[in-house]
Amino acid sequence: MKSGFTSIHPLLSFCYFFIFLVLSMVVKKPLFLFLLLILCTILLYFLDGLVTLKQNLKFYLFMAGVILILNPLFSTEGTTVLFYLKNRSITLEGVLGGITFALSLLNILFMFLAYNLIITPKKFLYLFGNIIPKTAFILTIIMGFIPLFTRRLQEIIDVRQIQKTTCPNRSKLSLKERLIEAMTTLNTLVSWTLEESLDNAVSMRARGYGTTKRTSSTIYHLDSRDRYLIAISLFIGCLSLIYFSSWLIFASLPILIEMRERLRWHFMKSNT
C-alpha cells in the first residue's frame, strides 16, 4: 500500500525533485547544502530504510572525496593561502569550493535515489507519454538500465564464483587471462541487457506504442491534499525568494508528509 509522499500526484512529485535539483546546483552555502543532505537522507530512510543508499554510499563518498582533493589542487581562485604543495598554493577558497561542489553532488545523487523510488517508470510515462512518447520511452529504458545492469552483473559474478569453486585452477589465472575474463564478463553483461531491452522495444512497437495518443491504465487525480500541497509550496516558494531558510521548509515537505502518515497509522493501530 502506497502512502505518504509516494501517493501524491506524480506531477507534484516531479516538480519537487526538479526544484530540489535546481536548488542543489544554485545554492553555494556549504552549511545549507549539508542541511539539505541531512533532509534527503531522512527522506530515504522513510522511503526504504536507507537500503538503496547503503548499496551506493561507498561509490558516492568516493566521488565526493575525489572532488574534495582535486578542487583545491586545480582551483586558482582565492587569496587566503593555507599551505603550499610542490609550489602550488592551496587556498581556503579552493577548499570551500571543493566542499560546496562535493555536497552539491551528494545532494543530487541522494535525491536521484529518492526520485527512482517515487517516480516509477509507470508514473514517468503517465506524465510524458502523450507529450513526448518516443523520448519518454527511451528515457524510461535508460533509467531502468542501472538496476538491470546491477542485477545481471551480480548473477554473472555468482556464476563466476561457482566456476572458481568447481575449477580450482581458475584462481591461478595470469593478469592477461583475468583481463580477458573481465572483458568477457562485460561483453556478456552488455549483450544480455541490450537483448532484453531490444525485446521490450519490439514488444512495444508491436503493440503500437507512439502511433496514437497514449492511454494509461492508472489515472491520477488532483485531490484536496494535492491542492493544499500546491498552495503551501507556492507560498513557501515566494518566501524563498527572500529567506534561504524557507528552502529548508520546502525540502522538508516530503518528510513532513511521511511523518504525518506514520503518526496517523500509529494512532489508527492504537485505537483498534
Side-chain angles (χ1 to χ4, degrees):
M1 178 180 178
K2 299 208 180 266
S3 60
F5 193 67
T6 310
S7 63
I8 71 171
H9 197 278
L11 181 59
L12 296 180
S13 302
F14 185 84
C15 291
Y16 170 81
F17 286 116
F18 177 78
I19 295 174
F20 191 97
L21 177 65
V22 174
L23 178 64
S24 299
M25 294 187 296
V26 171
V27 175
K28 301 300 181 182
K29 296 180 180 295
L31 178 60
F32 184 75
L33 290 172
F34 180 71
L35 293 176
L36 284 180
L37 188 64
I38 293 176
L39 294 175
C40 191
T41 305
I42 296 174
L43 176 59
L44 287 171
Y45 171 76
F46 280 122
L47 292 177
D48 70 341
L50 300 178
V51 174
T52 55
L53 180 60
K54 292 177 182 178
Q55 294 173 351
N56 300 276
L57 185 59
K58 290 183 179 179
F59 177 65
Y60 290 172
L61 292 179
F62 171 76
M63 295 178 63
V66 171
I67 293 174
L68 284 174
I69 295 174
L70 294 182
N71 192 81
L73 292 176
F74 292 97
S75 176
T76 57
E77 298 180 356
T79 56
T80 308
V81 179
L82 298 177
F83 58 91
Y84 290 90
L85 184 64
K86 292 185 177 180
N87 297 326
R88 181 179 292 273
S89 60
I90 305 299
T91 63
L92 176 62
E93 291 79 2
V95 173
L96 292 177
I99 295 174
T100 302
F101 191 11
L103 288 174
S104 297
L105 178 63
L106 288 176
N107 272 300
I108 293 172
L109 293 174
F110 280 32
M111 190 49 67
F112 265 113
L113 292 179
Y115 172 90
N116 288 328
L117 291 172
I118 294 177
I119 306 295
T120 61
K122 182 185 294 186
K123 290 182 178 180
F124 187 83
L125 285 176
Y126 172 80
L127 291 173
F128 300 102
N130 289 328
I131 304 174
I132 44 173
K134 295 182 180 180
T135 304
F137 175 68
I138 292 174
L139 290 176
T140 302
I141 294 296
I142 292 174
M143 288 187 292
F145 264 174
I146 296 177
L148 183 61
F149 260 60
T150 304
R151 292 195 300 269
R152 295 290 183 258
L153 180 59
Q154 188 59 50
E155 293 177 20
I156 295 173
I157 291 175
D158 292 340
V159 173
R160 297 292 188 190
Q161 293 296 330
I162 296 174
Q163 291 176 345
K164 288 181 180 180
T165 57
T166 56
C167 303
N169 292 331
R170 292 184 61 84
S171 60
K172 301 178 181 179
L173 297 177
S174 63
L175 178 60
K176 181 179 179 181
E177 291 172 332
R178 290 180 184 274
L179 290 175
I180 293 175
E181 185 179 272
M183 293 301 296
T184 303
T185 300
L186 179 61
N187 180 62
T188 303
L189 174 63
V190 174
S191 300
W192 191 4
T193 306
L194 290 179
E195 182 179 355
E196 183 169 334
S197 301
L198 182 60
D199 291 339
N200 291 335
V202 172
S203 176
M204 295 292 286
R205 173 171 289 186
R207 298 176 185 181
Y209 182 84
T211 56
T212 58
K213 185 177 180 180
R214 181 181 181 272
T215 58
S216 177
S217 59
T218 305
I219 304 299
Y220 299 93
H221 297 285
L222 285 170
D223 54 21
S224 58
R225 180 192 55 175
D226 295 328
R227 295 188 182 94
Y228 287 137
L229 186 58
I230 291 175
I232 294 172
S233 299
L234 290 175
F235 176 72
I236 296 175
C238 293
L239 287 179
S240 301
L241 298 175
I242 304 173
Y243 303 105
F244 273 115
S245 58
S246 301
W247 281 116
L248 294 177
I249 301 176
F250 176 82
S252 304
L253 285 178
I255 299 173
L256 297 176
I257 295 173
E258 291 289 337
M259 292 177 63
R260 174 183 175 273
E261 290 295 328
R262 296 199 177 205
L263 289 173
R264 182 181 178 187
W265 179 248
H266 174 74
F267 287 127
M268 288 177 62
K269 288 201 311 183
S270 62
N271 292 331
T272 56

